[in-house]
Each structure stands twice: as structure tokens, then as C-alpha cells.
């Protein structure tokens, strides 16, 4: 069952080890520069935080309490139970489709908490220790997942995460669908705690801006609205995630655990972080143009909602990726064009989707063979028509 060394992704064990250092370092760099005066994406951070700025027992308690809340909401009665893709042993796992319900309940609980005096606007000052606690949690969680996979049957292992190298397998994940009873850890983490923490951090930044300046700016409202719509859409169409590469192909290791629990909430909220410390003037005409860009209904998003008109799939192989890049641009434009920092998500997501598209190509070639080659001849462009 071991993967041949020539097929290892992400640069093999050395690349995996480097990414486990580079990704958290990048996240902390972004958190530091977002609040600095120059806000230089490519410059050094204004300072290096000491242990006292990173470690906070209260922050760890908040992270664990948040995960506990979302885990409890995962166990709510589901509006639907869906079956996943067929596994090696010809069985299909069952998944509760109740992510949107969890979002609604979370929203009500946060609203009640704020009305009762919950100091949500204090959250922006805790982003560094919260990010550190989330990163620590992801490392420990990944270690437990790796140890659990050591006793998993061969049929439960992921296609690419059982190379025999502990560093690589720890990063990519050995077990495809780690579960305890019916609780699926990968499916739970994929959309729920990270995405909802993202919009919660955005809301906290909006409330902090209202406290500092009397009211939230139009730019802050747009960023919050766009990203809340994206998260709500993803959770409403939660069943679509069951067909993604993350669920059907990748194991659950540090790559996905850190991405879901730390990278998503603390880097995807970068635009709102930037706007809190670097307010940007935005008039209604430009805001209207940005809304039109975000609301284009000719391309589907990766959340699974089909918004395309017939013909797009005949122009590019992955119009859903193009839709995500257009939305990423719309999320960044409210921050103006004076800094590169708010556009980090766009740059990162472009690289991510190009890499993922290459992995998709390989999977489709293995699955469809000559039929896929013929499709590629008829549709030569991958993401952007006439460019790539």
C-alpha cells in the first residue's frame, strides 16, 4: 500500500517539513504586518513577538471551547443524511448535512452573548495568541490522527498519505476518513469550525471599528457581507464537499488540520484586519461595481452551487476555480489599491488553485483515460480562457 517515492507531492518529506514551518510562519507574518503602519506584504514584520505575546491559557481555552461547541452542533439532528463516494471496500459513509443549522445556532448564540455584554470587540487584540493556540491544537490533533492511522486497516488509508515516511505521512495524512463511531473528523473540520470562526473574527473586527470610529466603514461592511455570504453558501450546499479532492482523495493530516483550524480563520480574515488598522475611503459608485463583480452569476463557485450558463464548461475545464478567483478579487477591492497586503488571499488562492488544478488533471486522467485526453483537446484552457 505504500506510495512509490516518485509520486510524492509537495516536494516529498523535505517539502512537507518545510511547509509545516513556512505555513504557520506566513500566517503569523500576516497577522503582524496587517496591524503595522507600513503594512508591507513583502517586508519584514514590525517586531518578533515573544512567548508572552503568543502563549495564553485563555486563548487555548477559547479555541477548545469553540471546537467543543461546533462538535456539539455537529451532533444536532440533520435535515438530511448524505452518502459519500464509494470506498475501496465498496461501502459508502454517511454524513449529516446540518452545517447551515450549526451556523444559524452559532449566530443566535453570538447575538445573545453580545446583547448580554460579551466583549467580542476585544477579540482583535487576541488574534496572535488565538492563532498560536489554534496552531498548537492542529499539531497535537495531527499527531493523534497519525497514531490512530497506525492501527487502521489498509483499506482505510488514503491513496497518497501512506508512503512509509513519517514526516510526509504526518503532513498529508495516512487515514482517509478518520472517525470515532459516526463522528467524521475530516468532514467536521472541513467547513465548520474554521469557516464560522472566520466570519466571527470579521464581525469582531467590524465591532472594533465601530467602537474606534463611531460606525463601521462601507468597505468593512462589504468585506463582512461578501465573506458571510460565501460561508453561508458553502454550509447551505455542504453536501457538495463530499465530492471534493479533500474528502475523496486526501488523507487527514497536518495539511488539512492546520488549514481548516488555523489558516482559514486567521488569514482569510486579512482584509477585515487590514481595514481596521488602515481605513479606506469607498464611495457608493465603486462599491456598486465591486458588488457586481462579486455577484456575477455566470460561473459556479467551488462550494458546489451551479451558477454557470451553458457553454462555460466548454471554454475552460475549471470554471468553478475562475469563479473563486473573481470573488477573491471582489473581497480585496474594498481595501483599495495602495497596499498589496489585502490581495494576499488572491495571490495565495491563485497558486492554490493552479496547484489543485494540476492534481485534478492527474486524477481525471487516471479515472477517464483517453476520454479525458479528448476533452482536453476540445477544451485547451484550464482556468482562464485564452490565458491559462
Amino acid at each position: 500500500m505504500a506510495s512509490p517515492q516518485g509520486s510524492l507531492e509537495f516536494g516529498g518529506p523535505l517539502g512537507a517539513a518545510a511547509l509545516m514551518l513556512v505555513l504557520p510562519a506566513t500566517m503569523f507574518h500576516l497577522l503582524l504586518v496587517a496591524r503595522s503602519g507600513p503594512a508591507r506584504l513583502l517586508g519584514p514584520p514590525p517586531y518578533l513577538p515573544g512567548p508572552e505575546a503568543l502563549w495564553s491559557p485563555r486563548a487555548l481555552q477559547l479555541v477548545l471551547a469553540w471546537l467543543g461547541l461546533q462538535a456539539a452542533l455537529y451532533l444536532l439532528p440533520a435535515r438530511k443524511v448524505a452518502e459519500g463516494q464509494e470506498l475501496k471496500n465498496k461501502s459508502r459513509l454517511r454524513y449529516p448535512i446540518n452545517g447551515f443549522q450549526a451556523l444559524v445556532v452559532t449566530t443566535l448564540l453570538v447575538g445573545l452573548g453580545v446583547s448580554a455584554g460579551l466583549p467580542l470587540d476585544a477579540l482583535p487584540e487576541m488574534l496572535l495568541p488565538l492563532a498560536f493556540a489554534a496552531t498548537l491544537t492542529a499539531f497535537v490533533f495531527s499527531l493523534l490522527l497519525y497514531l490512530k492511522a497506525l492501527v487502521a486497516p489498509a483499506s482505510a488509508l488514503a491513496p497518497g498519505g501512506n508512503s512509509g515516511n513519517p514526516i510526509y505521512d504526518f503532513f498529508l495524512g495516512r487515514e482517509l476518513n478518520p472517525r470515532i463511531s459516526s463522528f467524521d473528523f475530516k468532514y467536521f473540520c472541513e467547513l465548520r469550525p474554521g469557516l464560522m470562526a472566520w466570519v466571527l473574527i470579521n464581525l469582531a473586527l467590524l465591532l472594533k471599528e465601530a467602537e474606534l470610529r463611531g460606525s463601521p466603514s462601507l468597505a468593512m461592511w462589504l468585506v463582512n457581507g461578501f465573506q458571510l455570504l460565501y460561508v453561508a453558501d458553502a454550509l447551505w450546499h455542504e453536501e457538495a464537499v463530499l465530492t471534493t479532492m479533500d474528502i475523496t482523495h486526501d488523507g487527514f493530516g497536518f495539511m488539512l488540520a492546520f488549514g481548516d483550524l488555523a489558516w482559514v480563520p486567521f488569514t482569510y480574515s486579512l482584509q477585515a484586519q487590514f481595514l481596521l488598522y488602515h481605513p479606506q475611503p469607498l464611495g457608493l459608485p465603486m462599491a456598486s461595481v465591486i458588488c457586481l463583480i462579486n455577484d456575477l452569476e455566470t460561473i459556479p463557485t467551488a462550494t458546489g452551487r451551479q451558477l454557470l450558463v451553458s457553454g462555460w464548461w466548454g471554454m475552460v475545464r475549471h470554471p468553478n476555480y475562475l469563479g473563486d478567483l473573481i470573488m477573491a478579487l471582489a473581497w480585496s477591492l474594498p481595501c483599495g489599491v495602495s497596499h498589496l497586503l489585502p490581495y494576499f488571499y488572491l495571490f495565495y488562492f491563485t497558486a492554490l488553485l493552479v496547484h489543485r488544478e494540476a492534481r485534478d488533471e492527474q486524477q481525471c486522467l487516471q479515472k477517464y483515460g483517453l476520454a479525458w485526453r479528448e476533452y482536453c483537446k476540445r477544451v485547451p484552457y484550464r482556468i482562464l480562457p485564452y490565458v491559462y
Side-chain angles (χ1 to χ4, degrees):
M1 293 297 293
S3 302
Q5 291 296 313
S7 66
L8 297 186
E9 300 180 279
F10 303 100
L14 287 178
L19 285 171
M20 284 191 282
L21 296 175
V22 169
L23 291 175
T26 300
M27 180 183 69
F28 286 110
H29 171 78
L30 294 171
L31 289 171
L32 290 169
V33 298
R35 64 180 63 200
S36 70
R40 296 192 192 97
L41 175 61
L42 303 179
Y47 67 96
L48 293 179
E52 69 284 351
L54 294 175
W55 171 245
S56 166
R58 184 185 176 203
L60 181 60
Q61 291 169 359
L62 288 174
V63 168
L64 295 178
W66 177 256
L67 292 174
L69 170 64
Q70 297 307 321
L73 296 180
Y74 178 95
L75 301 175
L76 286 174
R79 59 187 171 100
K80 179 181 179 181
V81 177
E83 289 190 340
Q85 300 293 297
E86 187 176 280
L87 302 175
K88 293 176 184 177
N89 61 6
K90 306 302 180 182
S91 67
R92 294 176 183 268
L93 296 175
R94 293 167 63 81
Y95 298 88
I97 307 301
N98 59 2
F100 189 81
Q101 293 169 247
L103 175 64
V104 171
V105 174
T106 301
T107 302
L108 292 174
L109 291 175
V110 171
L112 289 173
V114 171
S115 63
L118 179 71
L120 192 59
D121 54 357
L123 200 62
E125 299 302 320
M126 295 187 64
L127 290 185
L128 275 177
L130 286 170
F132 184 81
T135 302
L136 180 63
T137 301
F139 268 107
V140 174
F141 188 30
S142 302
L143 178 61
L144 295 176
L145 289 168
Y146 179 81
L147 295 176
K148 180 181 183 300
L150 292 178
V151 296
S155 60
L157 301 182
N162 52 334
S163 68
N165 183 285
I167 295 176
Y168 182 81
D169 294 345
F170 174 84
F171 175 75
L172 207 61
R174 294 193 78 237
E175 194 173 355
L176 182 62
N177 302 293
R179 288 186 163 209
I180 292 180
S181 186
S182 62
F183 194 99
D184 191 293
F185 293 111
K186 182 168 68 171
Y187 175 70
F188 165 72
C189 290
E190 187 74 11
L191 292 181
R192 295 159 184 257
L195 288 188
M196 285 189 256
W198 171 18
V199 295
L200 182 66
I201 291 171
N202 278 354
L203 175 61
L205 292 161
L206 182 147
L207 293 176
K208 186 65 176 180
E209 186 182 54
E211 177 189 320
L212 293 175
R213 303 187 181 103
S215 64
S217 64
L218 179 56
M220 182 68 84
W221 278 116
L222 283 186
V223 166
N224 268 257
F226 289 163
Q227 295 179 351
L228 174 60
L229 177 64
Y230 182 86
V231 170
D233 177 75
L235 291 168
W236 180 258
H237 298 277
E238 184 181 21
E239 188 175 353
V241 80
L242 299 179
T243 62
T244 63
M245 183 178 291
D246 286 357
I247 298 295
T248 63
H249 180 267
D250 291 337
F252 193 37
F254 179 80
M255 179 180 72
L256 290 180
F258 173 77
D260 293 340
L261 302 181
W263 182 266
V264 166
F266 295 103
T267 65
Y268 285 21
S269 59
L270 187 62
Q271 289 97 350
Q273 294 178 47
F274 174 83
L275 288 172
L276 176 63
Y277 300 103
H278 305 85
Q280 301 292 314
L282 181 66
L284 283 176
M286 185 60 186
S288 300
V289 172
I290 294 173
C291 287
L292 288 175
I293 293 173
N294 186 73
D295 292 339
L296 285 174
E297 294 191 354
T298 55
I299 301 173
T301 70
T303 57
R305 184 174 63 180
Q306 298 299 313
L307 303 181
L308 75 168
V309 295
S310 63
W312 267 103
W313 290 98
M315 295 181 65
V316 291
R317 299 176 216 163
H318 299 277
N320 50 327
Y321 290 175
L322 178 57
D324 277 324
L325 294 178
I326 291 173
M327 284 195 298
L329 175 63
W331 298 350
S332 303
L333 286 173
C335 300
V337 293
S338 60
H339 290 75
L340 282 176
L341 183 65
Y343 292 84
F344 170 81
Y345 178 83
L346 176 61
F347 303 144
Y348 148 76
F349 217 54
T350 299
L352 175 72
L353 293 182
V354 168
H355 177 261
R356 175 162 292 213
E357 184 273 336
R359 300 179 74 204
D360 287 342
E361 291 282 314
Q362 187 63 32
Q363 292 294 316
C364 290
L365 181 60
Q366 292 177 359
K367 184 175 182 180
Y368 301 113
L370 292 177
W372 182 256
R373 293 186 187 277
E374 178 61 27
Y375 174 65
C376 292
K377 290 179 182 178
R378 295 181 60 182
V379 185
Y381 301 107
R382 299 183 174 201
I383 297 177
L384 188 60
Y386 307 105
V387 176
Y388 177 77

